[in-house]
Amino acid sequence: MPTVPYGWYAVLRSAELRPGKVVNLHYFGRALIAFRASDGQAAVRDAHCPHYGAHLGVGGKVVDGTVECPFHGWRFGTDGRCVEAPFAVRTPKVSIGGFPVREHSGLVFVYAGPPGESAADQTSQGESAAAEPAWEVPEIPEAVSREFAAPVDDTCTARIHIQEMRENIVDESHFHFIHGQAEPPVQDWRVDGPFAEVRGRIRRRVFGWDVDNTFDAFMYGPGVMVVRTHGPVLSVTAVALSTPVDDRTSELRMLYYLRKPARAPFLTPLFKLLFRREALGEVREEVRIWDHKIHRARPVLLTHEKGIKALRRWYAQFYPPGLP
């Protein structure tokens, strides 16, 4: 499978990208930097200067909304174009590659897609930048709602393709062995272009309580999923952000937004502590399995295991055409 399916990926939380700072990133097998323009607009660009190869995130700084190379002082705007080169008679017509960027819901998203055709978008390597996307990730209201606590933020990496991270939500049988559900859930699968939704129920025992919650998983392309679970005791919105790091490693960043108890908001820290103890251990168990599994293009599936095939049919649209 290609390392980077076409779609939107969250590479930063907004609070991690402070004005005047350059942030180093490494995704899609590329060294990247992120910085903000003078008006606060976020940019994610390739990290290496086209002049002589210096890493703009190691000693580089933000000057008047541009990133300045630490080696020779060349400056680049949020669109990647060189805007200043000291001692040059004319400013060189070169750029650093990058991505379309959107910022909302407390996250900085980039679009990794097929190359665009505009000559104005040429990168320093002579490759065209990603084409402008035809769809957007919807805003996530829980991220800004006062009814929800600040998220439990958990990040891990695994030696697995991000598609298999996503297949986890429709792997009916694993809900028994990993998540303690008595039997595989019955799931309702719906598709709408680059969006998909799966509905079901979670029935299990947690800290002596019988939990019977509905869950709705909303998938926005290959890299963003929002799972909402609702129940009488606890309601949680989990934002699952799966992003390729390189051709062998993927990152899973989970943001868990817990609804504050309406009658006892002071119990929120206790709820978060109990949730962290229960949920994060299960994620780590999955990561251990992912680190050692292999991809089965044709898995041997049981009669009730319908979700993986359905998801793979939907997910195929995010790969270049012509693949098997």
Side-chain angles (χ1 to χ4, degrees), residues 168-318:
N168 195 64
I169 195 68
V170 293
D171 177 5
E172 296 96 340
S173 295
H174 99 285
F175 279 90
H176 170 76
F177 291 95
I178 302 297
H179 302 297
Q181 187 151 333
E183 58 186 24
V186 176
Q187 297 182 337
D188 180 23
W189 173 260
R190 305 176 187 180
V191 172
D192 182 14
F195 307 127
E197 179 183 356
V198 60
R199 296 172 179 262
R201 300 192 74 87
I202 292 289
R203 296 182 177 92
R204 55 178 296 181
R205 194 166 182 82
V206 181
F207 295 118
W209 295 334
D210 288 320
V211 174
D212 186 358
N213 287 9
T214 63
F215 81 84
D216 303 291
F218 300 89
M219 306 178 199
Y220 307 129
V224 182
M225 179 172 66
V226 179
V227 183
R228 295 181 172 94
T229 60
H230 301 286
V233 177
L234 184 65
S235 294
V236 181
T237 295
V239 180
L241 308 170
S242 48
T243 309
V245 175
D246 52 38
D247 61 357
R248 292 182 58 85
T249 310
S250 299
E251 178 184 274
L252 178 64
R253 187 169 195 174
M254 299 293 301
L255 301 174
Y256 301 97
Y257 291 91
L258 277 64
R259 184 184 291 274
K260 300 175 184 176
R263 298 181 180 179
F266 59 88
L267 291 177
T268 300
L270 175 61
F271 274 40
K272 291 176 73 172
L273 176 63
L274 295 176
F275 179 86
R276 182 182 289 272
R277 287 180 54 190
E278 182 73 10
L280 301 196
E282 294 176 6
V283 173
R284 291 298 180 272
E285 188 174 352
E286 289 174 324
V287 169
R288 284 194 296 270
I289 294 171
W290 292 344
D291 271 336
H292 298 278
K293 80 179 296 295
I294 62 172
H295 175 68
R296 290 291 191 193
R298 295 177 177 83
V300 180
L301 298 174
L302 303 179
T303 304
H304 70 276
E305 295 175 327
K306 301 176 181 179
I308 291 175
K309 280 188 176 181
L311 186 139
R312 288 186 177 186
R313 285 194 295 269
W314 169 76
Y315 206 97
Q317 67 185 293
F318 306 115

Side-chain angles (χ1 to χ4, degrees), residues 1-2 316 318-324:
M1 295 181 289
F318 306 115
Y319 294 116
L323 291 178

Side-chain angles (χ1 to χ4, degrees), residues 11-14 16-25 31-47 56 62 65-67 76-81 96-103 107-111:
V11 296
L12 278 166
R13 291 181 66 184
S14 295
E16 296 169 336
L17 186 56
R18 293 179 294 163
K21 300 296 182 182
V22 182
V23 176
N24 287 341
L25 302 169
L32 304 170
I33 58 167
F35 65 100
R36 293 191 183 277
S38 299
D39 62 0
Q41 177 186 359
V44 178
R45 314 299 307 184
D46 285 322
L56 301 172
V62 177
T66 67
V67 62
F76 301 88
T78 53
D79 63 356
R81 298 175 188 268
I96 49 176
F99 302 88
V101 173
R102 303 287 189 270
E103 185 173 9
L107 295 166
V108 177
F109 298 93
V110 302
Y111 183 79

